[in-house]
Amino acid sequence: VLLGIFFNVHSAVLIEDVPFTEEDFKDGPERIYGLYEQVSYNCFIAAGLYALLGGFSLCQSRLNKRKEYMVR
Amino acid sequence: SFVAGVIHPWRVSAFERLLWRACRGYLVASFVEMPEPMEDPATGETITWVIFLISYWGEQIGQKIRKISDCFHCHVYPYPESEASRADTMNGLHSQIQDLSVVLEETEQYLAQVLDKVVLALPTWRVQVQKMKAIYLVLNQCSFDVTEKCLIAEVWCPVRDLTQVQDALRQGSYKSGSSVECFVQRIPTSESPPTLIRTNKFTAGFQSIVDAYGVASYQEVNPAPYAIITFPFIFAIMFGDVGHGLLMFLFALWMVLYENSPSLRQASNEIWQTFFEGRYLILLMGAFSIYTGFIYNECFSKATVIFPSAWSVATMANHSSWSSAYLATHPSLTLDPNVTGVFQGPYPFGIDPIWSLATNHLNFLNSFKMKMSVVLGIVHMGFGVLLGVFNHLHFQQRHRLVLEFLPEMVFLLALFGYLVFLIFYKWIKFSAANSRLAPSILIHFIDMFLFTSNAGNLPLYRGQVPVQTVLVVLALASVPVLLLGTPLYLCCRRRAPRTGHHGPVATGDEEPLLEGQEAGNSVNATKEDVESGGHSPDAQHVDFAEIFMHQAIHTIEYCLGCVSNTASYLRLWALSLAHAQLSEVLWTMVMRNGFVRLSYAGGVVLVPVFAAFAVLTVAILLVMEGLSAFLHALRLHWVEFQNKFYVGAGYKLCPFAFAPDVGE
């Protein structure tokens, strides 16, 4: 999530992480900003997937705990 | 007539053969194996017995058969002739079996109940037995006084707790109802007492790392309270990264907040126990790492732009009018700080984030970190020498203040304190305008020792050469003072009382001489003189040699150590460089691959990439680098810091406690 925010803000420190090619440098920085934003969306997607995974594993662990109680 | 019985299966064939040979066919024998194995009452094994039934005619054959079955250790049972009695016997046997099984069941149940009750009480019994054993162990160490029928124990006890001990003894004798009271008395002893340092759960971790090097000698200055701050700080210099420091801090915080939960305390894993014992250590190390991470401006190897950067690329571009052709032919461009507007002053806190985008990042950082390591090292060592003052004052060795502390400080400060001064002076005096003319400190320092000068290296300030000469001479002069000062002083002090003794003896004996008891008295006087004179030079020589050698070793160790230990502090630079490079490599080689795809599938790809990045961060950067930095910080403390003042030849006071014994 944090990485997504930083990419969205067009942080200059992360310039080397944005996959650009030679032709992206023409016509001003808008293309670069667009690339930044795409990478930030990817980051948000990954964060969302992680949240899903985390929630899923939490549910599973709680269910297993209850099952143990019932067996006893 | 019949004979019925049970026989061991291995003996069946021999039994059959013998029966046939002995009785010559006047019998009919049938053998049937038992359906389930039963226990042999004699040996306790479970064997499948073989049941046999022999019908015979004639009395003698019957006797023969019985003898043979006796020899073969068969169990013979009565077999009634008539059918009805056979049925009766069967019923009787069945009811017997039932009764017996009922009795067995009830006995087993009762046994189980008794054992359950015992299981509840067993741990307490075990603890009681162990406590009693421990108490008897201690009682055995006391000496038994037969005449007064009491036990005498010689113990070490802290003076502050003496009243508590007396109270406890009084209570004990009151509770046991004895008529005679126990009491405690102080006795003089020439043994050196054990060291007791009271710690709470926070300071215990730091005290244990100091004690691991050597327990402090009795009443020596304890470096642990200073280590509470210096150790995490030196660790953090080698570990500086905000992200990693934060992870470490959170981990330690979790351990500290849940330190009372039994699941954490009773873990059997030894490595986990080590981490748990040092949880406050790790907490401080993480907190300090966050601080140095902000100074190095590194968070998972990326710089944070909290304040706007002080370097402006736009002004440089405008000033130099970089054209596309120029940019195409020059892959790396320099921002010249002499151009107005490019460099707007130093960054408020830490290192400017623009450096993380620069290719000469390492050149800048190396120079900075090298100088920082040397400065910190000399400060740390100077502090160590200063702590020695406490030792000298406490043990009433004021001569050591002048004869050891002063030359040590002079040597350290004249040479290496001057180096620190040069570093700071050069930082302050030279700016970007005259940076091309800035002299090299290293060459100046070498020239200082060789008493030469280099034409190409401009002096830093006026009168530099005479100042340096004076400092070197001072430092060299302090070496013989350190070497010979204390031994000569101790030597003189020992001679002085001896000459004082000689005085009265001589005058006392002179009077009898004057009164005329010449020969005998003068012979006696000279004999005594010779005897006492003979003792002192011998004893003096032995002591002097020992003291002199000890002092010589100390001098050599100190002087050579100053040079080598200062260089040893450069590991602060080396390890912080290694950490920074490792985290950068991890980012570029692992995490960056997650950003390559621009389509939305890139988001899915990022999930395993981030997982790999996280695992490697924890395993390599946190655990491996953390342990490495911990070890080097520990080494710096133990060797470079503590050998300036610490003796560490004591032993710990181990009071009697039930806890460690109960665990056995």
Side-chain angles (χ1 to χ4, degrees):
Chain A
V1 170
L2 281 175
L3 264 183
I5 297 176
F6 287 139
F7 271 115
N8 220 343
V9 177
H10 314 302
S11 154
V13 174
L14 294 166
I15 184 80
E16 285 161 22
D17 293 327
V18 176
F20 49 71
T21 54
E22 260 307 308
E23 51 189 50
D24 290 331
F25 281 104
K26 302 176 185 165
D27 310 325
E30 277 78 25
R31 277 210 194 170
I32 305 289
Y33 290 164
L35 281 176
Y36 262 119
E37 267 149 35
Q38 277 181 320
V39 180
S40 74
Y41 295 150
N42 282 348
C43 286
F44 285 132
I45 294 172
L49 284 173
Y50 265 115
L52 274 175
L53 266 174
F56 180 63
S57 53
L58 263 178
C59 292
Q60 283 299 316
S61 61
R62 273 201 204 141
L63 275 174
N64 283 340
K65 272 194 196 166
R66 274 190 215 145
K67 271 190 194 163
E68 270 187 28
Y69 288 149
M70 276 166 58
V71 163
R72 281 191 200 158
Chain B
S1 340
F2 297 95
V3 168
V6 186
I7 185 174
H8 198 278
W10 295 347
R11 302 190 189 119
V12 170
S13 43
F15 188 51
E16 265 192 84
R17 223 176 297 145
L18 194 54
L19 275 178
W20 189 81
R21 287 205 189 125
C23 309
R24 287 190 213 153
Y26 277 101
L27 55 84
V28 175
S30 69
F31 293 85
V32 171
E33 221 181 76
M34 251 196 210
E36 79 248 331
M38 289 234 305
E39 214 180 289
D40 177 7
T43 56
E45 308 168 0
T46 39
I47 313 167
T48 8
W49 300 92
V50 173
I51 312 171
F52 65 87
L53 182 65
I54 306 175
S55 51
Y56 61 89
W57 303 268
E59 199 51 50
Q60 293 209 338
I61 294 188
Q63 280 180 1
K64 272 195 213 171
I65 294 175
R66 273 178 228 278
K67 267 196 205 160
I68 294 173
S69 40
D70 266 341
C71 291
F72 272 88
H73 303 289
C74 311
H75 298 276
V76 176
Y77 300 104
Y79 196 81
E81 306 281 329
S82 64
E83 195 64 41
S85 43
R86 275 185 225 152
D88 278 340
T89 347
M90 281 269 287
N91 287 339
L93 283 175
H94 274 302
S95 54
Q96 248 192 352
I97 290 175
Q98 263 189 357
D99 285 340
L100 279 177
S101 57
V102 164
V103 167
L104 275 175
E105 260 183 51
E106 289 201 358
T107 332
E108 277 196 20
Q109 269 185 7
Y110 179 64
L111 204 61
Q113 273 182 3
V114 169
L115 283 178
D116 277 339
K117 282 193 199 150
V118 169
V119 157
L120 290 176
L122 191 61
T124 17
W125 286 353
R126 206 177 278 159
V127 167
Q128 271 183 338
V129 167
Q130 280 173 341
K131 277 191 179 176
M132 288 198 281
K133 185 173 129 188
I135 294 178
Y136 277 112
L137 252 168
V138 173
L139 284 179
N140 276 341
Q141 290 174 344
C142 307
S143 55
F144 185 62
D145 194 353
V146 188
T147 53
E148 299 180 30
K149 296 192 191 151
C150 61
L151 285 173
I152 304 180
E154 294 183 356
V155 293
W156 289 109
C157 172
V159 176
R160 224 181 291 175
D161 292 339
L162 210 53
T163 42
Q164 267 185 342
V165 167
Q166 281 168 341
D167 278 340
L169 283 176
R170 220 173 293 143
Q171 269 187 12
S173 38
Y174 173 69
K175 275 195 191 165
S176 63
S178 66
S179 50
V180 181
E181 262 197 20
C182 324
F183 58 90
V184 64
Q185 245 185 10
R186 288 177 79 155
I187 49 173
T189 172
S190 58
E191 275 180 29
S192 70
T195 328
L196 170 69
I197 298 179
R198 297 180 203 262
T199 55
N200 56 18
K201 64 182 178 183
F202 176 66
T203 54
F206 298 99
Q207 187 63 45
S208 65
I209 61 175
V210 170
D211 283 341
Y213 176 73
V215 179
S217 308
Y218 187 59
Q219 294 193 335
E220 196 186 27
V221 67
N222 181 20
Y226 312 105
I228 295 180
I229 297 297
T230 56
F231 179 78
F233 183 62
I234 290 197
F235 172 87
I237 292 184
M238 297 192 264
F239 196 74
D241 190 307
V242 172
H244 303 147
L246 195 65
L247 286 176
M248 205 182 243
F249 181 75
L250 290 175
F251 173 62
L253 196 64
W254 169 69
M255 277 200 291
V256 166
L257 287 178
Y258 285 93
E259 66 187 358
N260 291 323
S261 97
S263 66
L264 280 183
R265 266 192 192 260
Q266 285 163 12
S268 50
N269 193 353
E270 264 196 38
I271 298 184
W272 168 257
Q273 279 286 79
T274 322
F275 277 126
F276 186 69
E277 296 287 319
R279 57 193 182 278
Y280 286 104
L281 213 67
I282 302 180
L283 189 75
L284 277 188
M285 282 169 6
F288 277 70
S289 299
I290 300 179
Y291 173 74
T292 52
F294 275 120
I295 291 194
Y296 291 152
N297 218 343
E298 282 215 6
C299 176
F300 291 115
S301 86
K302 291 282 156 191
T304 54
V305 189
I306 307 176
F307 306 98
S309 171
W311 295 76
S312 158
V313 184
T315 7
M316 184 70 189
N318 289 337
H319 169 82
S320 316
S321 59
W322 288 337
S323 64
S324 308
Y326 184 79
L327 289 174
T329 46
H330 288 84
S332 70
L333 307 154
T334 339
L335 297 177
D336 193 346
N338 280 324
V339 175
T340 42
V342 174
F343 180 61
Q344 286 145 15
Y347 196 68
F349 184 76
I351 296 186
D352 205 301
I354 197 160
W355 283 107
S356 65
L357 297 173
T359 40
N360 59 349
H361 182 207
L362 282 181
N363 281 346
F364 170 70
L365 268 189
N366 282 351
S367 157
F368 163 68
K369 284 184 181 173
M370 245 197 284
K371 295 178 179 163
M372 169 195 74
S373 318
V374 169
V375 168
L376 278 173
I378 291 167
V379 168
H380 203 208
M381 287 199 290
F383 180 58
V385 177
L386 215 65
L387 278 184
V389 173
F390 288 119
N391 270 345
H392 298 154
L393 286 177
H394 179 85
F395 289 117
Q396 306 297 330
Q397 291 172 330
R398 280 170 209 272
H399 64 275
R400 289 181 77 178
L401 264 182
V402 176
L403 294 171
E404 276 188 27
F405 170 67
L406 216 52
E408 280 178 0
M409 275 312 247
V410 165
F411 186 81
L412 186 67
L413 290 180
L415 296 178
F416 299 102
Y418 180 64
L419 179 64
V420 173
F421 165 73
L422 280 181
I423 292 175
F424 278 109
Y425 186 77
K426 184 175 168 188
W427 271 345
I428 296 176
K429 180 144 186 270
F430 288 87
S431 66
N434 47 4
S435 64
R436 285 192 194 277
L437 310 166
S440 156
I441 294 184
L442 199 56
I443 299 185
H444 272 301
F445 203 56
I446 296 176
D447 285 342
M448 175 168 128
F449 284 106
L450 298 177
F451 294 107
T452 60
S453 63
N454 214 328
N457 213 8
L458 295 175
L460 275 168
Y461 55 91
R462 241 181 20 190
Q464 185 175 1
V465 175
V467 169
Q468 284 180 173
T469 330
V470 167
L471 285 173
V472 174
V473 167
L474 251 178
L476 286 177
S478 69
V479 174
V481 175
L482 187 59
L483 181 65
L484 298 170
T486 314
L488 283 177
Y489 174 83
L490 286 174
C491 207
C492 293
R493 215 174 53 171
R494 262 172 231 242
R495 278 209 201 118
R498 289 256 167 65
T499 50
H501 281 309
H502 286 177
V505 166
T507 48
D509 278 350
E510 259 171 38
E511 288 168 6
L513 274 175
L514 289 175
E515 282 175 346
Q517 301 170 17
E518 309 100 349
N521 275 348
S522 61
V523 166
N524 281 344
T526 47
K527 233 206 241 169
E528 275 171 36
D529 262 352
V530 165
E531 277 171 355
S532 53
H535 273 299
S536 38
D538 276 351
Q540 257 180 330
H541 268 296
V542 167
D543 283 342
F544 183 63
E546 216 181 276
I547 298 175
F548 182 65
M549 207 164 59
H550 178 84
Q551 196 64 21
I553 294 176
H554 178 76
T555 308
I556 295 176
E557 197 187 328
Y558 181 78
C559 296
L560 292 181
C562 265
V563 180
S564 76
N565 293 347
T566 309
S568 176
Y569 274 95
L570 286 174
R571 75 185 66 224
L572 293 175
W573 160 47
L575 273 152
S576 70
L577 183 68
H579 188 89
Q581 288 302 298
L582 261 177
S583 65
E584 199 179 309
V585 157
L586 198 61
W587 182 276
T588 45
M589 294 222 160
V590 176
M591 198 65 172
R592 196 165 284 179
N593 296 330
F595 302 132
V596 166
R597 284 177 184 237
L598 283 175
S599 58
Y600 288 114
V604 182
V605 166
L606 195 55
V607 172
V609 167
F610 179 73
F613 174 74
V615 166
L616 282 176
T617 300
V618 170
I620 297 182
L621 284 174
L622 280 188
V623 173
M624 189 183 89
E625 275 286 315
L627 282 175
S628 161
F630 179 89
L631 190 72
H632 282 283
L634 202 61
R635 175 248 150 78
L636 279 178
H637 270 76
W638 281 356
V639 180
E640 276 81 12
F641 176 56
Q642 285 181 312
N643 78 358
K644 300 285 181 293
F645 66 96
Y646 194 61
V647 174
Y651 60 105
K652 261 192 160 169
L653 177 77
C654 301
F656 175 74
F658 279 127
D661 291 338
V662 169
E664 284 165 38

